[in-house]
Amino acid sequence: MEAIFPDSVVVTNKSKIVFLIIDGLGGLAMEGKGGTELQVARTPNLDHLAARSICGLLDPVAPGITPGSGPAHLALFGYDPVKWNIGRGVLEAFGIDFPLQENDVAARGNFATLDPQGKVVDRRAGRISTEMNQGLCAKVRERVDLTPRAEYYFEPARDYRVVLVLRGEGLHDDLTDTDPQALGVEPLACKGTAPRAEETARLINRFLSQAQEVLAQEERANGLLLRGFAKYRRYPSMEERFGLRSLAIANYPMYRGLARLVEMELHPVCKDMRGEFAALRERYQEFDYFFLHVKEPDSRGEDGDFDAKVRILEEVDALVPEITTLNPDVLVVTGDHSTPSKLRMHSWHPLPALLYSTYARVDEVERFDEISCARGGLGRQPMVNLMSLALAHALRLTKYGA
Amino acid sequence: MEAIFPDSVVVTNKSKIVFLIIDGLGGLAMEGKGGTELQVARTPNLDHLAARSICGLLDPVAPGITPGSGPAHLALFGYDPVKWNIGRGVLEAFGIDFPLQENDVAARGNFATLDPQGKVVDRRAGRISTEMNQGLCAKVRERVDLTPRAEYYFEPARDYRVVLVLRGEGLHDDLTDTDPQALGVEPLACKGTAPRAEETARLINRFLSQAQEVLAQEERANGLLLRGFAKYRRYPSMEERFGLRSLAIANYPMYRGLARLVEMELHPVCKDMRGEFAALRERYQEFDYFFLHVKEPDSRGEDGDFDAKVRILEEVDALVPEITTLNPDVLVVTGDHSTPSKLRMHSWHPLPALLYSTYARVDEVERFDEISCARGGLGRQPMVNLMSLALAHALRLTKYGA
């Protein structure tokens, strides 16, 4: 799985590379629909592009493995998704723009409702508002103290969601969740799964018992559940690895966080999908690489709404000329993972992909869909290879070896 | 080659997975025959299934590598065939149902005929009977003694074949064969290929010189040749790795041994191929995973009998409805390795494979043969991926990463 990619072959030039990433792109045929979502959708622009491109099927992590958004995007950005697997806590911290430092341990948290016996009755505290969340976080920060052992940051995210960050010497993330992910049971104590993390576990339990006192009188948010403890390691940036000045155009916090993880610059959140394509045009002269992320098809897939996914794919298709008229040196269109309406969730199915470039060895694929791309010249391969392929077609990689 | 398969994503459910493994399935076109064995065979059931499945070509170990049955089956069972390569001695011990313990060193042996100068004249001792073999083994056991250094087990297999197992502290398997695999030369002394194994080599030579004395007066079986020394490590079971309660339906000792290695339950030996398919039906409620092994096509391929291989493939095809009428959640049809009649031996050619499931992204392949499957949606990939793919399509794998 590890992509063979010696950094030493990277060179820079003035070429432009655009990745149009359609979240949840891949699908499955459903009875009575006449094919997959992409097959059924009228996508003349993508089909025209596919006919002038090299196409294939990409496995985000490995055949059969359903990826979370983290591993899938890291693979797209050319980072081995297993070697660089990102923990949930770190991803959440990036999602709220928290400035993590190397070796910080971060966790995702939920405010929750506990009954008088201390058992969880609502893992989301009745979906309290972000404003209430902010007030509760301030209260906790005021009264919970872990000095001198460590500093901590307790930050509100959207609705009932929070991020806890511990900062100090010798912290580790071999830790169990305190969120039981079930109702009718008490929150769990945090435990070290390796001896080195036992002291960190005690520290977290100290935090939780103090926070519990602060929250005890709250009506709905009288409990706190933590999960996905993860220690932050800095990722080598897109510029360091590939010599690419990179811009992320993405409207959702998680994808913005993932782009920031590899040190892309972030374009401000746009009003809608059309705004994202317009932003590409506005910022086109400033960068080498553009990550343009479209979220909506994934959401329609998760809703199980085949027809709505078809329609949104057609809307994306209609915007494709916004990119092609810029005439980028390399244009890649693919997704991060499949979200078939039939399954209503992320799936393991590989992603159709096209790579357009004047140096692409154009194959016989004439339609951009999962079945047609299976016959393409890229074949079926690990998604992590895509970045090397894009760089190569942009003439940004020199010869490897003597 | 290592499949990326994080154990943490495995979940269990009530789904049924059937692997129909047609030994020696893949072939080659032969002059005047009009295609490969599979292309020439009339296989309407397999073709109908292929048209509703996702198809591809699988490499058991790696492109160009001809696998033994051991690595090929381990790959089928989802175990990296290089990392988990099984030594010949261990495979033979499993084949006779010997209860190996961790760190035992096992070897395959042949009774042989030596001339008065001690040179090998028949590596199979005139194919003595199993009964004679049993008597000779008893004699050896009575008179050869390795105490206090080690215990040993000297067990008859079929005809002239035996298994030697050494048990004791600090035994190693970095050892050379004593079987010269040639006539007109003396059996070789066993040597350690690493310093740590030198003492084990001396122990084996002690065993051999004592056994030689016991056998000296025999007419045909007056010698003993050992090869394939291998130390046994326990394999994590199918249930531990995949949460699968597994049944092996296989009539030949080697395949039964391989299934036992990963702790499948073994169905008793059936009368014939038809009996094996009937057994699947009888035991269908008891297990999650079924390994149904059909040996005959490999034997016809090794005979170089193209037409007989075609006929046996047609017989297998006629039995396929015995499986499909059970309506398993996932049905895989493939082989362990190719055995083209043209080559009369195992070969490196990849195996055609089909995976049927309601969640398979059905491709355009409409016939089950080597050439058609090359255009399938599975593409060409390592065989070890097949188990992850089967588990995924049975919805037995959850999301990897945040």
Side-chain angles (χ1 to χ4, degrees), chain A residues 1 26-28 57 61-71 81-82 85-86 88 91 338 342-343 346 348-350 370-371 374-375 380, chain B residues 1-2 4-6 9 54 358-364 375-381 385 388-389 392-395 397-402:
Chain A
M1 263 308 294
L28 280 177
L57 289 179
V61 176
I65 303 301
T66 296
S69 297
V82 174
N85 191 19
I86 182 179
R88 180 68 188 239
L91 186 58
S338 294
K342 182 171 177 171
L343 278 165
H346 289 202
W348 61 90
H349 300 88
E370 300 87 344
I371 310 304
R375 296 194 315 268
R380 181 164 177 168
Chain B
M1 262 309 294
E2 172 80 86
I4 288 164
F5 185 82
V9 301
I54 184 165
T358 184
Y359 300 116
R361 194 186 270 161
V362 177
D363 55 35
E364 295 171 332
R375 296 194 314 268
L378 289 177
R380 180 164 178 166
Q381 49 178 304
N385 292 351
S388 330
L389 285 163
H393 284 85
L395 306 185
L397 299 182
T398 59
K399 199 163 67 175
Y400 172 71

Side-chain angles (χ1 to χ4, degrees), chain B residues 137-339:
Chain B
C137 284
K139 241 195 224 176
V140 166
R141 282 198 298 260
E142 217 166 86
R143 294 177 40 197
V144 174
D145 183 19
L146 299 179
T147 56
R149 177 59 188 92
E151 290 175 75
Y152 76 90
Y153 302 86
F154 189 65
E155 303 292 332
R158 220 194 302 196
D159 305 335
Y160 54 87
R161 301 173 185 92
V162 294
V163 175
L164 172 68
V165 176
L166 295 179
R167 182 171 296 164
E169 293 294 311
L171 298 176
H172 294 281
D173 63 359
D174 321 81
L175 298 165
T176 60
D177 294 349
T178 77
D179 186 341
Q181 306 233 24
L183 303 182
V185 293
E186 289 179 39
L188 306 166
C190 179
K191 286 186 207 157
T193 57
R196 63 176 183 176
E198 281 168 13
E199 200 235 333
T200 311
R202 281 195 296 275
L203 192 67
I204 286 158
N205 290 326
R206 217 174 104 200
F207 173 87
L208 283 168
S209 72
Q210 291 184 46
Q212 193 53 55
E213 276 179 46
V214 176
L215 301 171
Q217 301 312 315
E218 294 297 321
E219 194 187 333
R220 288 188 291 172
N222 66 344
L224 177 62
L225 307 174
L226 298 176
R227 60 193 161 105
F229 291 99
K231 188 162 169 169
Y232 174 58
R233 309 172 285 173
R234 184 178 169 272
Y235 284 55
S237 72
M238 295 276 283
E239 182 143 15
E240 286 167 87
R241 288 195 67 201
F242 309 126
L244 294 173
R245 296 168 305 151
S246 303
L247 181 69
I249 304 172
N251 273 351
Y252 280 67
M254 188 189 292
Y255 313 101
R256 297 176 68 82
L258 284 160
R260 204 161 64 78
L261 195 73
V262 295
E263 301 186 11
M264 289 191 208
E265 187 157 327
L266 298 185
H267 186 75
V269 172
C270 300
K271 208 178 86 217
D272 54 18
M273 203 161 77
R274 180 171 296 277
E276 291 186 83
F277 282 77
L280 173 69
R281 183 168 293 269
E282 287 157 27
R283 307 295 298 275
Y284 194 66
Q285 295 314 317
E286 297 172 53
F287 297 89
D288 306 308
Y289 172 90
F290 302 85
F291 162 54
L292 175 48
H293 179 266
V294 174
K295 172 68 178 167
E296 288 74 6
D298 176 55
S299 309
R300 299 298 88 76
E302 295 213 323
D303 294 343
D305 191 339
F306 189 100
D307 298 337
K309 190 172 168 193
V310 167
R311 279 195 304 275
I312 197 82
L313 289 171
E314 292 178 347
E315 284 177 40
V316 174
D317 181 77
L319 291 167
V320 165
E322 297 292 312
I323 306 177
T324 48
T325 51
L326 291 169
N327 200 22
D329 297 278
V330 175
L331 170 56
V332 165
V333 182
T334 187
D336 54 346
H337 54 78
S338 295
T339 307

Side-chain angles (χ1 to χ4, degrees), chain A residues 65-334:
Chain A
I65 303 301
T66 296
S69 297
H73 276 82
L74 286 168
L76 282 172
F77 301 155
Y79 294 70
D80 183 288
V82 174
K83 179 173 164 197
W84 291 105
N85 191 19
I86 182 179
R88 180 68 188 239
V90 167
L91 186 58
E92 294 287 336
F94 267 84
I96 62 162
D97 262 354
F98 183 87
L100 282 181
Q101 294 182 11
E102 196 99 29
N103 300 319
D104 284 353
V105 169
R108 156 76 186 270
N110 280 14
F111 284 115
T113 312
L114 308 181
D115 70 12
Q117 285 72 50
K119 291 178 175 161
V120 180
V121 292
D122 184 341
R123 286 184 59 252
R124 296 178 183 87
R127 295 187 182 268
I128 56 167
S129 68
T130 305
E131 291 67 36
M132 178 175 288
N133 181 340
Q134 288 163 342
L136 291 170
C137 284
K139 236 194 225 180
V140 167
R141 282 198 299 258
E142 212 166 89
R143 294 173 45 196
V144 174
D145 181 19
L146 300 179
T147 56
R149 177 59 188 91
E151 291 176 75
Y152 76 89
Y153 302 86
F154 189 65
E155 302 292 332
R158 219 191 307 193
D159 305 335
Y160 54 88
R161 302 172 183 92
V162 293
V163 175
L164 172 68
V165 176
L166 296 178
R167 182 171 296 164
E169 292 294 309
L171 298 175
H172 294 282
D173 64 358
D174 321 80
L175 298 165
T176 60
D177 294 348
T178 77
D179 186 342
Q181 306 234 21
L183 302 182
V185 294
E186 291 178 37
L188 306 167
C190 180
K191 287 186 205 155
T193 57
R196 63 174 184 178
E198 280 167 14
E199 200 235 333
T200 311
R202 280 193 297 275
L203 192 67
I204 285 158
N205 290 325
R206 218 175 103 201
F207 172 86
L208 283 168
S209 71
Q210 292 183 44
Q212 192 54 55
E213 276 178 46
V214 176
L215 301 172
Q217 301 313 316
E218 295 296 321
E219 195 186 334
R220 289 188 290 171
N222 66 344
L224 177 62
L225 309 173
L226 298 176
R227 61 194 160 102
F229 292 99
K231 189 164 169 167
Y232 174 58
R233 310 173 284 174
R234 182 179 170 270
Y235 285 54
S237 72
M238 294 277 283
E239 181 142 17
E240 286 168 87
R241 288 195 68 201
F242 308 126
L244 294 173
R245 295 168 304 148
S246 303
L247 180 69
I249 304 172
N251 273 351
Y252 278 67
M254 188 189 292
Y255 313 102
R256 297 176 69 82
L258 284 160
R260 204 161 63 78
L261 196 71
V262 295
E263 301 186 9
M264 289 191 209
E265 187 157 326
L266 298 185
H267 186 75
V269 172
C270 300
K271 207 178 87 212
D272 55 17
M273 204 159 78
R274 181 171 297 276
E276 291 186 83
F277 282 77
L280 174 67
R281 183 169 293 270
E282 288 157 26
R283 308 295 298 275
Y284 195 66
Q285 295 314 318
E286 297 173 52
F287 297 89
D288 307 308
Y289 172 90
F290 302 86
F291 162 55
L292 174 49
H293 179 267
V294 174
K295 172 67 179 167
E296 288 74 8
D298 177 56
S299 310
R300 298 298 88 75
E302 294 213 323
D303 294 342
D305 192 338
F306 189 100
D307 298 337
K309 190 173 168 190
V310 167
R311 280 195 304 274
I312 196 83
L313 290 170
E314 292 176 347
E315 285 177 40
V316 174
D317 183 76
L319 291 167
V320 164
E322 297 292 312
I323 307 177
T324 47
T325 51
L326 291 169
N327 201 22
D329 297 276
V330 175
L331 170 56
V332 166
V333 182
T334 188

Side-chain angles (χ1 to χ4, degrees), chain B residues 4-82:
Chain B
I4 288 164
F5 185 82
D7 296 0
S8 57
V9 301
V10 171
V11 292
T12 56
N13 59 29
K14 291 184 182 305
S15 63
K16 304 280 187 191
I17 302 173
V18 178
F19 274 30
L20 171 59
I21 301 306
I22 305 174
D23 204 303
L25 177 66
L28 280 176
M30 266 173 95
E31 199 147 325
K33 298 296 186 185
T36 68
E37 296 91 327
L38 256 181
Q39 284 184 305
V40 171
R42 276 164 317 225
T43 53
N45 293 305
L46 287 169
D47 293 344
H48 182 62
L49 199 54
R52 294 176 298 145
S53 299
I54 184 165
C55 300
L57 290 179
L58 305 178
D59 287 291
V61 176
I65 304 301
T66 296
S69 297
H73 276 82
L74 286 167
L76 283 172
F77 300 156
Y79 294 70
D80 183 287
V82 174

